[in-house]
Amino acid sequence: MRTVVVTGGSRGIGAAAVERFAKAGDRVWFLYEKEHDAAGAVARRTGATAVCCDVANGEAVRAAFRVIGDVDVLVCNAGICGVSGLMSQLPEEAWDRIFDVNVKGIYNCINAVTPSFLKKQAGSVVTVSSMWGQVGASCEAAYSATKGAVIALTKALAKELGPSGVRVNCVAPGVILTDMCAGIDPEILEEMAEEAPVGRNGTPDDVAQAIEYLANADFVTGQVLPVNGGYII
């Protein structure tokens, strides 16, 4: 039985990934920061184990993984959108926080599992970027920059860790109907759905399916799998 860790597993894409891995028979742990009630619900529904942890805090991450122990699959999903608007008006602390969570959080989690991966010469990491990390989005400079960094980090680590039997891949979701979309005008969401060749926006399980594939695909590494319904081709 594999041990799978999903960060940001209390809601949205992370919760859908927890559910998929649990249904596949894996032993699943997930990290979350604030959503205690939601985390408890996911744990009860899936049988997974929840650990409260801010991925931006290196010591907290190391402590969490000491409890979890040996890991086979790491899904780095935890992330925040931050503040939308002109970059010239973005407070420095807001810029720092989104990088701390979206990029440093992955650094912390991968470093926590790498020693055991190297010891057994095996392991799989799936990171979660965004289509805006591929092409950028106006008034989302900080978010786009962090998600672009996730893609670059994925490719670099695939080269660095591949000789040790560790695969590193990435999913780049498009418009996914999670609570992160709650503040978007429904008309805009509908317009974006119409622009996608498949004619709809995505669900958390659409992305979780891609995450599960990359976690299991033994001859795939260093790849970015777009999950955007063809919105960006």
Side-chain angles (χ1 to χ4, degrees):
M1 180 184 293
R2 297 185 308 181
T3 296
V4 178
V5 177
V6 179
T7 70
S10 64
R11 59 182 183 169
I13 292 168
V18 169
E19 189 159 346
R20 273 196 168 265
F21 285 113
K23 284 183 177 179
D26 293 312
R27 181 187 298 107
V28 184
W29 298 69
F30 68 92
L31 307 186
Y32 75 99
E33 184 187 3
K34 297 175 181 177
E35 304 289 337
H36 302 296
D37 291 342
V42 171
R44 289 190 297 273
R45 185 172 70 249
T46 64
T49 303
V51 179
C52 185
C53 175
D54 178 2
V55 295
N57 183 321
E59 183 49 46
V61 169
R62 288 187 289 273
F65 279 92
R66 282 195 293 269
V67 172
I68 294 168
D70 187 57
V71 176
D72 299 295
V73 177
L74 171 65
V75 179
C76 295
N77 166 74
I80 58 175
C81 286
V83 180
S84 298
L86 298 175
M87 191 178 79
S88 61
Q89 298 176 358
L90 181 68
E92 183 177 348
E93 58 270 22
W95 177 274
D96 289 344
R97 177 59 181 167
I98 193 170
F99 269 87
D100 279 348
V101 176
N102 292 5
V103 183
K104 186 181 177 183
I106 294 178
Y107 162 88
N108 287 334
C109 292
I110 291 180
N111 275 348
V113 301
T114 295
S116 65
F117 280 179
L118 296 181
K119 183 177 180 179
K120 63 186 176 184
Q121 295 286 285
S124 177
V125 178
V126 182
T127 62
V128 178
S129 179
S130 165
M131 66 179 180
W132 302 135
Q134 297 177 290
V135 299
S138 176
C139 294
E140 295 284 357
Y143 181 75
S144 299
T146 64
K147 293 304 185 177
V150 171
I151 290 172
L153 178 61
T154 297
K155 291 177 177 290
L157 287 178
K159 295 176 180 179
E160 183 175 317
L161 299 176
S164 299
V166 180
R167 297 182 302 104
V168 188
N169 290 289
C170 179
V171 293
V175 181
I176 308 299
L177 298 176
T178 68
D179 56 3
M180 284 189 175
C181 293
I184 301 177
D185 188 317
E187 290 187 7
I188 294 177
L189 288 174
E190 183 59 32
E191 289 172 3
M192 297 184 80
E194 291 174 357
E195 290 183 37
V198 300
R200 68 175 177 87
N201 293 318
T203 68
D205 192 61
D206 288 326
V207 186
Q209 182 179 3
I211 290 171
E212 184 178 37
Y213 162 72
L214 290 174
N216 296 335
D218 288 341
F219 200 53
V220 178
T221 196
Q223 302 305 305
V224 180
L225 179 56
V227 188
N228 61 41
Y231 189 88
I232 292 173
I233 296 178

